[in-house]
Amino acid sequence: QVQLVESGGGSVQAGGSLRLSCAASGRTFNSYAMGWFRQAPGKERERLAVISWSGADTYYADSVKGRFTISRDNTKNTVYLQMNNLKPEDTAVYHCAADIALFLVGVSPAYWGQGTQVTVSS
């Protein structure tokens, strides 16, 4: 079992930055691939970024490529999402997710966090 708790959300003006954190419980964090997703009201959930267990492999959605960076610190059981140049359309609830399999974490991850709200004003 893996429990995930996100933090770092908040309100920011367009062009600003936020860093989200996702703290994972369990001693096998470094065995899991991790991902970040978001869901805005009335919209489908969107996969944003994925990172392999070692951090060597990453994937980004086109909508955030060049603005968002996913990283992890396995010594702290934490994955991060650095978000720069935020836009009003980035407003959503952001969730982290985990799965043993890299190919599943971006599709149907086994574990989800409860989410953190990000609001970007123009």
Side-chain angles (χ1 to χ4, degrees):
Q1 289 284 341
V2 176
Q3 292 185 329
L4 305 173
V5 179
E6 301 95 336
S7 61
S11 297
V12 63
Q13 289 190 329
S17 299
L18 284 174
R19 187 176 81 156
L20 305 183
S21 299
C22 174
S25 64
R27 294 175 290 178
T28 58
F29 173 74
N30 60 4
S31 300
Y32 286 83
M34 303 294 295
W36 283 97
F37 296 74
R38 69 186 178 192
Q39 187 160 21
K43 295 186 177 181
E44 292 188 355
R45 186 169 62 206
E46 179 184 12
R47 178 184 58 203
L48 302 177
V50 169
I51 189 167
S52 61
W53 67 270
S54 66
D57 299 302
T58 57
Y59 158 86
Y60 295 94
D62 288 343
S63 59
V64 303
K65 196 174 296 183
R67 299 190 299 125
F68 291 11
T69 302
I70 189 170
S71 63
R72 66 190 295 161
D73 186 341
N74 287 343
T75 66
K76 296 181 179 180
N77 282 14
T78 302
V79 63
Y80 304 97
L81 186 68
Q82 177 67 44
M83 306 187 295
N84 298 327
N85 191 23
L86 284 161
K87 306 174 181 180
E89 52 264 42
D90 294 319
T91 295
V93 176
Y94 284 67
H95 298 266
C96 67
D99 201 284
I100 283 290
L102 179 61
F103 74 96
L104 282 179
V105 74
V107 177
S108 182
Y111 304 101
W112 289 92
Q114 83 289 349
T116 185
Q117 176 71 44
V118 171
T119 303
V120 184
S121 58
S122 58

